[in-house]
């Protein structure tokens, strides 16, 4: 396929092949009169696969590199067997040919689900019983949405499958084209081009463009605003993928125009299912391509071990599996849990603490750290601290949190901890990591061991709440005249500072004098103004405490 660089290719709605924009009308005339006669081999193969599908059912994933690769290699990414009635070839020959086309891909790509039915997990949104997304798809619609979930749970895959599934049976006559980009790649210029192209695509082919934006949380406000009008008018369907809580990262205007779907980590059973498919795929490759006569056999314990160390990230799990396969291809011995451990430990980069500094993890871990200190569990405190530091967390971020904890959770019961936390911050500033790691550990344990008091924290909250509510002029009452400063003669004449008793002039500094504004004092009960009278801690008893101590 020759492709002039500056002319856009669009996909023909009938045969699905890529046609130059200027040639689409001519092509459509021919194409519709001949019936679907695909010119592009890639889509021919695909449409042969599922005879019941309409030829146009395959969503065009316009990822530039990907589409070039596909066009070159006629890749059928699922690695499925292609059947041709004309010249029957043996099944293993077909398998082999098919495999050879995808053999260079990473295992996770070879296994990327091609049908919604192959998609594992996320039943809360895609099950036919109560999945909201399922209902949309059944009605032939793709809403604009944000897919929020940790890495490798299938956000990209889901976007592709949704488009494909709706196209297989366009219930309300609308079919979709998928354009894939990521927030780090998409400049304002590229976005504008996508919007223009999608308008053109719609007017010519009646296909709506689904714009998939990976890592959408990295868009700044300006870029998010660019999307707004197009999402609102329905010119495009936006699918944004994010690993971070969208309510912190996306502006409200955009959020309110999108459905938010939370994708969860795959559980052990689900991950094992994906891994088993991985093992079958690898064995097929061993048998047909790599000509190894012993299959890869991993028992349940080994699979569970892989699941455990990949923590819900499917891509990571499949990468580990692939690594195990490569390291044992020539070795017919049976794989034990220990030997698998050894293989994985040998590749230390795979053992990096699972910690996503920019994502959810960042907030979850610091929160667990804070709560461990609050609960005076010095060991858990060290655990979370080490986890954050090994994961590459900013040590100043941790130090700042400890400064806060010193006042919030220890408060008036030990005034030395605020300066200690400030000193830990200082230590990080002065010596940096790795040397300052122990300063952080030192301070965190001191905080965990310190007596706890929320007296100050609660008092501070209470006084601020009352100010905001401003009942009975609480916030607007006049400052008492005797407490005002009187820098000028006029002010003295007006009564400023009149009758003020200067405490240091009196024995022990004691005088009878009011400090609250007069209105506040007369409108409040005395005890309502005793903000600092609260207890250090609450009075509830945890019944589980007794059980634990007994057990
Ligand atoms: N739910 C799933 N069912 C089956 N396979 C899955 C699932 N999720 C992910 N995979 C596998 O993991 C690979 C990566 O998935 P995908 O790219 O969709 O994840 P992602 O959530 O978009 O991750 P990232 O945010 O890291 O890009 C897929 O190619 C597929 O092999
Ligand atoms: Zn055509």
């Amino acid at each position: 396929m020759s492709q002039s660089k500056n002319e856009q290719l669009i996909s023909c709605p009938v045969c699905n092949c890529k046609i130059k924009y200027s040639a689409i009308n001519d092509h459509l005339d021919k194409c519709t009169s001949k019936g679907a006669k695909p010119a592009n081999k890639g889509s021919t193969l695909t449409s042969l696969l599922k005879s019941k599908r309409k030829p146009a059912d395959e969503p065009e994933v316009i990822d530039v590199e990907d589409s070039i690769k596909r066009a070159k290699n006629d890749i059928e990414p699922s690695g499925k067997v292609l059947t041709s009635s004309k010249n029957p070839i043996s099944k293993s020959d077909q398998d082999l040919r098919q495999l050879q086309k995808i053999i260079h891909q990473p295992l996770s790509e070879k296994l990327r689900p091609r049908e919604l039915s192959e998609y594992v997990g996320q039943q809360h949104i895609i099950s036919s019983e109560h999945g909201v997304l399922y209902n949309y798809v059944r009605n032939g619609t793709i809403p604009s949405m944000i897919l929020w979930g940790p890495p490798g749970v299938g956000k990209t895959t889901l976007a592709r499958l949704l488009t494909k599934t709706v196209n297989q049976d366009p219930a309300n006559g609308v079919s979709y084209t998928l354009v894939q980009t990521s927030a780090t790649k998409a400049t304002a210029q590229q976005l504008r081009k996508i919007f223009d192209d999608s308008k053109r695509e719609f007017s010519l082919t009646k296909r709506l463009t689904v714009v998939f934006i990976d890592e959408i949380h990295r868009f700044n406000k300006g870029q998010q605003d660019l999307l707004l009008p197009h999402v609102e008018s329905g010119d495009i369907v936006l699918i944004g993928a994010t690993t971070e809580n969208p309510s912190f990262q996306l502006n409200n205007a955009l959020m309110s125009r999108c459905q938010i779907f939370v994708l969860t980590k795959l559980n052990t059973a689900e991950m094992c299912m994906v891994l088993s498919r991985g093992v079958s795929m690898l064995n097929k490759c061993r048998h047909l391509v790599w000509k190894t006569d012993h299959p890869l056999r991993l028992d349940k314990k080994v699979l569970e071990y892989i699941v455990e160390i990949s923590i819900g990230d499917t891509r990571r799990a499949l990468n580990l599996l692939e690594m195990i396969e490569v390291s044992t291809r020539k070795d017919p011995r049976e794989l034990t849990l220990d030997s698998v451990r050894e293989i994985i430990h040998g590749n230390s980069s795979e053992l990096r603490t699972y910690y996503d500094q920019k994502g959810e993890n960042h907030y979850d871990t610091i929160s667990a750290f804070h709560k461990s200190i609050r609960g005076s569990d010095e060991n858990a405190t060290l655990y979370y601290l080490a986890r954050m530091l090994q994961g590459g967390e900013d040590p100043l971020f941790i130090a700042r949190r400890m400064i806060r904890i010193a006042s919030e959770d220890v408060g008036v019961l030990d005034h030395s901890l605020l300066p200690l936390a400030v000193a830990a911050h200082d230590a990080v500033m002065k010596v940096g990591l790795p040397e300052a790691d122990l300063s952080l550990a030192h301070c965190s344990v001191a905080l965990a061991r310190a007596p706890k008091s929320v007296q100050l924290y609660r008092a501070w909250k209470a006084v601020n709440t009352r100010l905001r509510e401003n009942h009975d002029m609480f916030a607007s009452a006049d400052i008492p005249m005797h407490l005002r400063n009187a820098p000028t003669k006029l002010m003295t004449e007006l009564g400023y500072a009149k009758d003020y008793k200067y405490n240091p002039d009196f024995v022990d500094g004691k005088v009878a004098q009011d400090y609250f504004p007069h209105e506040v004092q007369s409108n409040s009960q005395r005890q309502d103004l005793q903000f600092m009278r609260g207890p250090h801690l609450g009075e509830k008893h945890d019944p589980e405490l007794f059980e634990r101590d007994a057990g």
Side-chain angles (χ1 to χ4, degrees), residues 108 111-113 119-120 151-157 214 314-315 318:
S108 62
L111 282 181
R112 196 189 279 280
Y119 190 76
V120 178
V153 292
K155 298 181 288 294
T156 314
T157 310
D214 207 2
T314 324
R315 189 187 294 109
L318 291 171

Side-chain angles (χ1 to χ4, degrees), residues 12-17 19 24 27-28 30-32 35-39:
C12 165
V14 181
C15 69
N16 207 31
C17 53
I19 309 296
I24 185 71
H27 171 85
L28 273 172
K30 283 187 223 139
C31 196
T32 43
K37 192 185 169 209

